[in-house]
Amino acid sequence: MAQLYSSVKPTPMLKDELDIVIPTIRNLDFLEMWRPFFEQYHLIIVQDGDPSRTINIPKGFDYELYNRNDINRILGPKASCISFKDSACRCFGYMVSKKKYIYTIDDDCFVAKDPSGKEINALEQHIKNLLTPSTPHFFNTLYDPYGDGADFVRGYPFSMREGAITAVSHGLWLNIPDYDAPTQLVKPLERNSRKIFLSLKSLNDEVICDHMGWGVKTGLPYIWHSKASNPFVNLRKEYNGIFWQEEAIPFFQSLALPKECTSVQQCYMEMAKLVKEKLGKVDPYFTKLADGMVTWIEAWDELNSPDGAEAKAPKGKDE
């Protein structure tokens, strides 16, 4: 019996509306594992570390590659707002993307499998999370009422069932947990193997999302986190933060933005002012942070103006 199969791959969700941003200091061999899910999307790769080092990117992917020299050339004096020697350099990828949606992933994150052994398309699940509403104002005990096999439970107000726009979908790690340095040192061999198939709606979302009336989802999907960072290196980096968080968390929990802030940029600038005013007294770091927040918005506005768009000249796959 003869059978005919189509060689045309189905078009994935939001193919032309989504960029994948990847920060890295190493070869991106991990992309081979993600090829079935990422190959048809556009990648923005931000290379940290030595800009003279050539990183290997598997063939067949459509990508832009930026290193520190590119960042300095494109942003000039404002390049200081892009963190160096850590994965927060991904923020430059957010800045240069022209797409409506951005998915970001680290190079030590691998494809996880569901209980049946099937590989999980984490990107597709994130997209589904973003394209369905959040329920930030009232908790639903079946978690995601918009998911398959779920709905709103008895007592859920009908006036709230339209939900809110989902601004962020935040997935979780299997295998190596996201512990701080002291916990890493106490539990060096602990691994997370529990999969809870739900998508929780944050009841205390990011400050700006609260102000704008948007929701944040945390839960599905899972990915396999393959590499534990060095807890002694982390301890040096996190030491001050362990103390600062006792001041910073209450600050953000009580933070209220004025109604005059009607855009994300305005909210972020106002938040920078309050960070400098309230947390600057905790440590000079927060004053520097606030200045960096202002610079980031200024750089974003400049780069995303009609004239600023011409400043980009990344390395591409055909070079």
Side-chain angles (χ1 to χ4, degrees):
M1 181 178 70
Q3 290 180 309
L4 181 66
Y5 297 94
S6 172
S7 61
V8 178
K9 296 179 181 178
T11 302
M13 300 173 70
L14 301 181
K15 176 183 179 296
D16 298 320
E17 299 179 71
L18 183 145
D19 281 333
I20 299 175
V21 173
I22 304 171
T24 190
I25 59 170
R26 58 182 61 88
N27 293 334
L28 294 182
D29 300 329
F30 92 115
L31 283 174
E32 289 294 354
M33 180 181 295
W34 289 99
R35 185 180 290 277
F37 309 127
F38 289 2
E39 190 172 28
Q40 296 190 62
Y41 290 95
H42 179 68
L43 313 182
I44 298 177
I45 301 165
V46 184
Q47 179 182 347
D48 199 7
D50 181 2
S52 67
R53 182 176 183 270
T54 299
I55 62 171
N56 177 57
I57 301 167
K59 293 182 179 180
F61 288 95
D62 173 38
Y63 67 87
E64 300 169 44
L65 171 62
Y66 297 93
N67 60 34
R68 194 69 199 184
N69 291 340
D70 298 316
I71 295 172
N72 291 337
R73 173 178 54 81
I74 292 170
L75 296 185
K78 291 184 171 63
S80 61
C81 72
I82 303 299
S83 186
F84 192 42
K85 295 185 178 178
D86 61 56
S87 63
C89 66
R90 77 182 77 230
C91 293
F92 182 76
Y94 304 161
M95 192 179 289
V96 297
S97 173
K98 303 301 180 186
K99 303 291 178 62
K100 182 177 181 179
Y101 300 95
I102 293 175
Y103 173 63
T104 187
I105 186 171
D106 292 341
D107 57 20
D108 61 354
C109 294
F110 296 168
V111 177
K113 295 182 179 181
D114 67 17
S116 71
K118 180 182 177 182
E119 291 187 335
I120 297 171
N121 185 345
L123 175 54
E124 183 180 73
Q125 181 61 55
H126 276 298
I127 291 173
K128 289 179 178 179
N129 286 348
L130 289 171
L131 295 182
T132 54
S134 295
T135 54
H137 306 299
F138 204 90
F139 184 70
N140 192 61
T141 53
L142 287 181
Y143 303 111
D144 190 349
Y146 308 100
D148 295 336
D151 211 319
F152 294 97
V153 297
R154 189 197 323 269
Y156 199 101
F158 281 86
S159 61
M160 295 184 179
R161 295 191 180 193
E162 289 188 2
I165 293 171
T166 303
V168 178
S169 173
H170 171 243
L172 299 176
W173 282 350
L174 289 171
N175 194 34
I176 298 171
D178 190 16
Y179 284 156
D180 56 32
T183 309
Q184 278 184 286
L185 290 168
V186 174
K187 299 181 175 181
L189 301 180
E190 186 157 294
R191 298 293 182 265
N192 175 35
S193 60
R194 292 176 297 172
K195 299 177 184 176
I196 303 173
F197 288 91
L198 55 88
S199 185
L200 285 173
K201 279 32 170 212
S202 174
L203 299 177
N204 184 16
D205 297 336
E206 305 292 336
V207 173
I208 292 176
C209 288
D210 278 344
H211 180 78
M212 301 295 287
W214 300 332
V216 175
K217 294 184 182 180
T218 295
L220 291 179
Y222 285 90
I223 55 88
W224 185 267
H225 186 220
S226 66
K227 182 182 178 183
S229 52
N230 186 312
F232 296 101
V233 173
N234 289 350
L235 187 60
R236 287 196 297 270
K237 294 180 178 179
E238 298 172 3
Y239 176 78
N240 287 325
I242 293 171
F243 298 97
W244 293 346
Q245 68 183 3
E246 303 303 326
E247 300 276 352
I249 291 174
F251 164 76
F252 285 108
Q253 286 177 326
S254 62
L255 182 62
L257 298 171
K259 63 181 181 180
E260 289 77 17
C261 294
T262 57
S263 70
V264 172
Q265 291 100 316
Q266 290 173 334
C267 291
Y268 202 65
M269 296 287 269
E270 178 67 19
M271 192 159 63
K273 184 181 77 173
L274 294 172
V275 165
K276 178 178 286 190
E277 178 184 319
K278 302 294 185 181
L279 295 179
K281 63 187 72 173
V282 175
D283 191 274
Y285 167 81
F286 289 101
T287 299
K288 182 180 179 181
L289 173 63
D291 292 338
M293 292 168 69
V294 171
T295 302
W296 199 95
I297 291 295
E298 292 173 347
W300 193 94
D301 285 341
E302 287 181 12
L303 197 58
N304 287 278
S305 68
D307 294 335
E310 299 178 0
K312 290 199 309 172
K315 301 174 185 176
K317 66 175 183 180
D318 296 323
E319 291 191 0

